[in-house]
Amino acid sequence: MPRFLGRNALYEVTRDLTLAAQGKIKADTVIKGGLVVNVFTKEILPADVAIYKGRIVLVGNADHTIGPNTNIIDASGFYLTPGLLDGHMHVESSMVTVTQFARAALPCGTTTIFMDPHEIANVLGLRGVKLMVDEGKNLPLKVFATMPSCVPSAPGFEDAGAVITPREIAEAMKWDEIIGLGEMMNFPGVLAGDENVHEMLKITMQSGKIVTGHYSIPETEVGLQAYAASGVASCHEGTRKEDALARMRLGMYNKMREGSAWQDIKATIKSLTETFVDDRRALLVTDDTHPHTILTLGHMNHVVKRAIEEGMNPISAIQMATINTAECFRVSHEIGAIAPGRCADILFLRDLADFNPEIVMTDGEIVAREGKLTTELKAPNYPDWALNSVHLKCELSASDFEVKYGGPEKEVTVRVIQVVEARVNTFHRTAKLKVHDQRIEADPSQDLAKVAVVERHGGPGNMGIGFVGGFGLKRGAVASTVAHDSHNLLIMGTNDADMAFAGNVLRKCGGGMVAVCDGKVLALVELPIAGLMSDKPVEEVDAHVKALDEAWRKLGCTMVSPFMTMALLSLPVIPELRITNRGLVDTLNFKFVDLIV
């Protein structure tokens, strides 16, 4: 179990907390006059909260714990809830460092995260994970980590910058900060009895830590049961009411996701609001959230509000973002509730349904007021090896993106990756394209763009090329080194010249996201840390992302967060058709398929 939880480990202060609860040692802080949300009993109770050494010692009448030096906080008119816990998320998706993420998320009431740093693991391996874990140690935000399990996410179908084996898993499980195994995306490997996969599960469970899951297909009768039988404790990939019910009925924790692009709560919450199912196995998570969402809508507080908007009882929604999450990760004796012995992570709110914390406290100290952080956070220093991660064989040229066809036909049928806004899944469809001079080009009139993935980690340097529909691009090209999960160079465009130009821009700046047209840069978000994150303040990154979003619109795309939808085109573990640096992958049958039918 992590030893860094709170200012003081519980086992180090048991005697002091016991004496403070009795008033034999006076409390550091007493919160008076508030209405405490009890997440154990679903009650709202008027009570004082006494705090000593960063931990709660008493909830009730705390007059006897007050001494001459006790800080009294008047909470009249406030509801007091536990700080919110995000049970599955990737800091890298916010495009900023762990420190900058904390700056943005803490004022929203998120006091604990369980991050899966598999994005940086795919680029920099175990030492990349260590960078992020170490950065999270001394923040007022509690940062747990699950050790990435699938690097690459689909072995044999893509090339990543690193490979995580059972040996690396065993090393990471020794770290106090690692809470479990990251989402096991290789569910086919689990079901097939792959020895390496099951060795990872074994090592994790032998360490007394949990295995988190990722079962991304709608089948629930046999495969999901087998997956659960392996010891996988949770899953965030359900997108339907039926998915959520199936997981909870099997004793798994079902994580209901509401991020910037993947907005599943509207459907999955019906598993609770339209049934009488117990909600103890339901969690709220964000998965992937970019800066603009956090700065404008919020973080976990926004997810709680969304659940309430869809009909969830406010206290139940709070439970799903506090005690349920703590119980899932086996730390409910430490966090997730306002109760004796727990860390004093407390939110002050005027309205439970309109979940906007006015005051945020962690470990008994106020860290944010009215949406602003009140404490300074030291900026991290990232080493040079983390800042130079785009390694292409050579500069890209337009000819690299040509799709050649030597047959006599003037028209051919091609496979198309069809995206749907706000959905993680794609559809595998076909379309007819003209052949000009033995080349097949993109066709904006059919909403068909060309897409390519170029290996960028200094490996084989190969490239996969295909076609994608649904983005609405009319001209130009876009490129990104944020390309789940191997994070190779992903380029999409309407013409080969702009595609080459966009890729070369990111090659020169060390990674990021760019939109170009006619050989000119329209907008650029530089992400020099592993090609995934910026070292700049979250507000500055947000401004660049807004400019990028506007550039996408100029190119014809009206989709919300199109760059996040684009980033999943290369993820070969989610249905139905994806593209990697090795080619097109049918992810329902896990096999490569030809571009031309």
Side-chain angles (χ1 to χ4, degrees):
M1 190 57 57
R3 297 178 59 233
F4 66 96
L5 235 180
R7 283 170 27 203
N8 300 282
L10 179 58
Y11 59 77
E12 294 175 334
V13 292
T14 55
R15 180 177 180 275
D16 290 345
L17 300 185
T18 304
L19 295 176
Q22 300 171 77
K24 296 176 181 179
I25 298 175
K26 298 306 176 184
D28 294 324
T29 299
V30 171
I31 304 170
K32 294 190 68 69
L35 294 171
V36 175
V37 175
N38 189 310
V39 292
F40 297 117
T41 60
K42 286 191 178 180
E43 296 178 282
I44 298 176
L45 304 169
D48 303 333
V49 181
I51 300 166
Y52 185 68
K53 289 192 174 180
R55 289 182 178 264
I56 298 163
V57 296
L58 181 140
V59 182
N61 186 336
D63 289 346
H64 65 286
T65 70
I66 298 173
N69 297 318
T70 301
N71 176 36
I72 307 296
I73 299 176
D74 182 6
S76 299
F78 285 105
Y79 293 97
L80 303 178
T81 77
L84 302 179
L85 286 58
D86 192 342
H88 177 72
M89 57 85 66
H90 308 284
V91 169
E92 302 99 315
S93 294
S94 69
M95 294 177 263
V96 294
T97 62
V98 180
T99 302
Q100 284 298 317
F101 175 84
R103 276 193 60 237
L106 276 167
C108 300
T110 302
T111 57
T112 301
I113 60 172
F114 296 86
M115 68 174 182
D116 185 341
H118 73 210
E119 319 301 356
I120 201 167
N122 271 275
V123 181
L124 301 176
L126 193 61
R127 60 179 183 170
V129 175
K130 192 72 164 62
L131 275 179
M132 294 187 68
V133 165
D134 286 346
E135 186 182 346
K137 286 182 180 179
N138 299 309
L139 296 171
L141 176 74
K142 292 179 175 62
V143 180
F144 293 93
T146 56
M147 179 58 198
S149 61
C150 300
V151 179
S153 61
F157 289 92
E158 59 185 339
D159 295 281
V163 176
I164 298 295
T165 69
R167 179 177 180 178
E168 284 77 30
I169 299 296
E171 172 62 28
M173 289 301 154
K174 299 174 185 176
W175 304 350
D176 290 331
E177 301 82 9
I178 296 295
I179 195 81
L181 189 67
E183 55 179 302
M184 177 47 74
M185 292 179 287
N186 188 7
F187 62 87
V190 175
L191 302 189
D194 182 276
E195 291 187 5
N196 272 345
V197 170
H198 282 271
E199 183 66 15
M200 292 180 182
L201 305 184
K202 176 183 177 182
I203 291 168
T204 302
M205 289 185 271
Q206 282 181 329
S207 302
K209 300 179 180 183
I210 77 162
V211 178
T212 64
H214 172 119
Y215 190 83
S216 60
I217 60 175
E219 189 279 334
T220 60
E221 293 299 320
V222 177
L224 180 63
Q225 302 242 12
Y227 192 60
S230 73
V232 176
S234 65
C235 182
H236 63 278
E237 283 298 332
T239 60
R240 306 172 301 161
K241 171 185 174 180
E242 298 89 339
D243 299 331
L245 280 171
R247 286 154 175 76
M248 291 187 288
R249 285 168 175 162
L250 297 179
M252 299 178 77
Y253 284 93
N254 183 68
K255 299 175 177 179
M256 301 185 184
R257 169 175 56 191
E258 190 81 4
S260 293
W262 334 126
Q263 299 162 3
D264 300 328
I265 281 181
K266 186 175 182 66
T268 56
I269 204 73
K270 291 177 181 178
S271 63
L272 302 174
T273 58
E274 295 182 355
T275 70
F276 295 99
V277 169
D278 195 310
D279 57 27
R280 74 179 71 184
R281 292 283 171 171
L283 274 58
L284 299 177
V285 304
T286 63
D287 199 358
D288 298 295
T289 311
H290 65 64
H292 185 67
T293 301
I294 302 174
L295 294 176
T296 57
L297 297 178
H299 190 244
M300 280 303 297
N301 61 323
H302 171 62
V303 185
V304 171
K305 281 192 279 190
R306 283 291 300 119
I308 295 170
E309 288 169 358
E310 294 297 333
M312 204 67 197
N313 175 283
I315 299 181
S316 296
I318 293 167
Q319 287 178 308
M320 292 161 65
T322 57
I323 190 63
N324 290 11
T325 309
E327 289 178 346
C328 172
F329 287 97
R330 304 172 188 167
V331 289
S332 59
H333 61 295
E334 297 270 12
I335 54 176
I338 299 177
R342 277 72 175 180
C343 294
D345 299 346
I346 300 172
L347 310 183
F348 295 62
L349 304 107
R350 299 286 184 184
D351 186 340
L352 292 182
D354 183 26
F355 207 94
N356 290 307
E358 289 192 23
I359 299 173
V360 178
M361 172 183 284
T362 65
D363 297 326
E365 301 289 338
I366 293 174
V367 296
R369 286 183 183 272
E370 298 181 348
K372 301 294 183 184
L373 204 66
T374 58
T375 184
E376 290 295 321
L377 304 181
K378 185 179 178 182
N381 290 315
Y382 277 78
D384 288 343
W385 54 263
L387 302 175
N388 298 286
S389 64
V390 180
H391 306 291
L392 301 185
K393 291 290 186 182
C394 58
E395 190 168 289
L396 299 170
S397 65
S399 62
D400 294 329
F401 299 91
E402 291 180 356
V403 178
K404 297 181 179 179
Y405 179 70
E409 294 86 358
K410 299 300 182 183
E411 186 178 75
V412 295
T413 300
V414 298
R415 301 181 194 275
V416 174
I417 305 169
Q418 184 68 36
V419 301
V420 179
E421 185 170 8
R423 291 283 301 274
V424 296
N425 287 8
T426 64
F427 293 100
H428 180 175
R429 72 177 184 88
T430 60
K432 293 186 180 296
L433 287 174
K434 302 291 185 183
V435 179
H436 298 285
D437 297 325
Q438 295 189 318
R439 293 195 303 271
I440 306 170
E441 303 294 348
D443 186 356
S445 69
Q446 294 190 63
D447 188 13
L448 292 179
K450 192 176 289 185
V451 61
V453 178
V454 187
E455 192 277 323
R456 63 113 166 166
H457 303 294
N462 48 359
M463 178 193 299
I465 299 180
F467 293 96
V468 61
F471 284 100
L473 288 185
K474 300 290 191 294
R475 57 201 183 102
V478 290
S480 176
T481 52
V482 178
H484 302 284
D485 272 337
S486 289
H487 299 290
N488 284 304
L489 176 57
L490 175 61
I491 308 170
M492 182 172 67
T494 60
N495 67 86
D496 298 344
D498 275 339
M499 291 178 72
F501 177 68
N504 288 327
V505 169
L506 296 186
R507 175 175 177 261
K508 291 174 183 176
C509 74
M513 300 184 294
V514 67
V516 308
C517 190
D518 298 328
K520 295 181 180 178
V521 174
L522 301 183
L524 172 64
V525 182
E526 294 190 39
L527 303 173
I529 302 171
L532 302 172
M533 297 178 289
S534 171
D535 55 357
K536 298 292 189 291
V538 63
E539 295 85 358
E540 188 175 328
V541 176
D542 178 44
H544 290 302
V545 173
K546 286 179 182 176
L548 180 69
D549 191 60
E550 181 58 31
W552 272 78
R553 292 181 181 278
K554 290 179 181 178
L555 297 179
C557 180
T558 59
M559 184 182 291
V560 175
S561 301
F563 31 85
M564 295 192 77
T565 301
M566 174 186 168
L568 290 190
L569 293 177
S570 55
L571 182 55
V573 293
I574 295 181
E576 293 178 346
L577 184 65
R578 305 283 162 162
I579 185 167
T580 74
N581 63 295
R582 296 192 183 189
L584 281 175
V585 183
D586 174 345
T587 56
L588 292 178
N589 299 296
F590 278 89
K591 65 178 184 178
F592 287 108
V593 292
D594 293 331
L595 173 58
I596 299 173
V597 178

